[in-house]
Amino acid sequence: MSKTQDPRRHLPRTDDLLETPSGKKAEGMVGREGAKAIVRRGIAKVEEQVTAGRIESGRDKLRGAAEAAIEDELLTLDRRRLQHVINATGVMLHTNLGRAPLGRSLFEKGSSVLGGYCNLEIDLETGERGGRGGVLDDLLRLLLGAEAAFAVNNNAAAVLLVLHGLARGREVVVSRGELIQIGGGFRLPDVFETSGARLKEVGTTNITTAEDYRMSQGPETAMFLKAHSSNYRMEGFVSSPSIAELAAIKDPAVLLVHDIGSGWMAYEGLFPDEPTPVRSLAEGADLVTFSGDKLFGGPQAGVIAGRNDLVARLKRSPLHRALRIDKATALGLEETARLHLSARLDDIPLFRMMRVSIEALRKRGARILRKSGLGKGQARILSTQAAVGGGSAPGMGVESVGIEIHLPWSPERTSAFLRSAPISVIGRIRDDKVVLDLRTVLPEEDEEIAGALSRLIDGVSRSET
Ligand SMILES: *Cc1c(COP(=O)(O)O)cnc(C)c1O
């Protein structure tokens, strides 16, 4: 590189680029100021390439490169918008894909309830101000057999609110086997830090006894917190006391709280190892907390249910104001609770998904293959194990059916191609092959999958010639 002639002197100027077709397009998408920022990013990229000697200098070259960089930014912006994707991973509660899908009935209600005004905090009989979640709380109460219940932003918020509201500055006893981490951001010890409650660990990683809990109690003890090991399973020489045992040995002044996680309502004998809010409350938990969007099958939320006096205290807490749900969540949870109460399980997409028969899945798989044009050597239908996922029912597989793809592309390349379909198809890689698991695919998405597969065959054959 010449020292006297800085190659960057040919970099295009922001104002000029804003007048190019790419610049105009950017302005149409994100406005004048947004376009300026995107153009500057484009210029910075080109500058980096020039400095590294990766592109030749020259006014036209650099201008072309900057325009290409802007187009690239715009494409990414569009591609990353929140959009419908097809979950062919076989993981029913995929946190990265939005956990539980929501039923159509909810969106039909949503367009009028949310598109206009609604009675979020007004009593339509008296015309007076009412509490948020009036009927929702009542439905949750009925469903869970609880004295009282309400919902907050998510289960992490529920646990935080319970610790902060009922045990701040005091001790909460937790088994060493239950100091859980859920997903990226929920580590129980960190939640304690934030809440102001003091964590008191008892027992060992694999064994904690009722006696450990009993001995741990003192004047500083506010609560026993039992947390479900939602996303892992310990096997072998493992034991910890049940809610009933803890209820029997605790001092009356000590609260017993069960963070259940999944909110499983124990249908049809499925997942017998999952704790349920109903059982924990019946066995003597003072409060339970669980997620709205795990096995409960609703929107993101955290439900807190149990003793009336405790719920009333938590609702009055200033932290509750910061964690409260919005009207869209209230509507979604209310609808989901009604479906549970009336046992209209098939209207909850998660349950419909769980209950589809293997024969039905096989038929759909065969139909997709026929429509896609994939030949015998190019794909096969096979038995798979779908999973609940989302930190629920660990180790519990659900029988399923998948389409395994046998094309000369690497599984990574095949996956990337399927993700680039008009509606992204997200599969998983197993034994070095891409498998599309049909348990998590909604029947109305089959057509899209067939289309994506037929484009895949075209793509592969083009790349071979
Ligand atoms: C999932 C889970 C949480 C966190 O719930 P979010 O709704 O994701 O905030 C907390 N505790 C347990 C036991 C869980 O399974």
Side-chain angles (χ1 to χ4, degrees), residues 95 99 153-159 180 182-183 186 188 226-231 259-262 289-294 300-302 390-392:
T95 299
R99 287 199 187 153
N153 180 54
N154 56 16
N155 191 29
V159 174
I180 53 171
I182 309 280
F186 184 88
L188 205 47
K226 197 167 165 60
H228 181 48
S229 57
S230 294
N231 49 1
D259 173 17
I260 283 172
S262 76
T289 73
F290 62 88
S291 298
D293 55 352
K294 290 184 179 170
Q300 178 189 302
S392 303

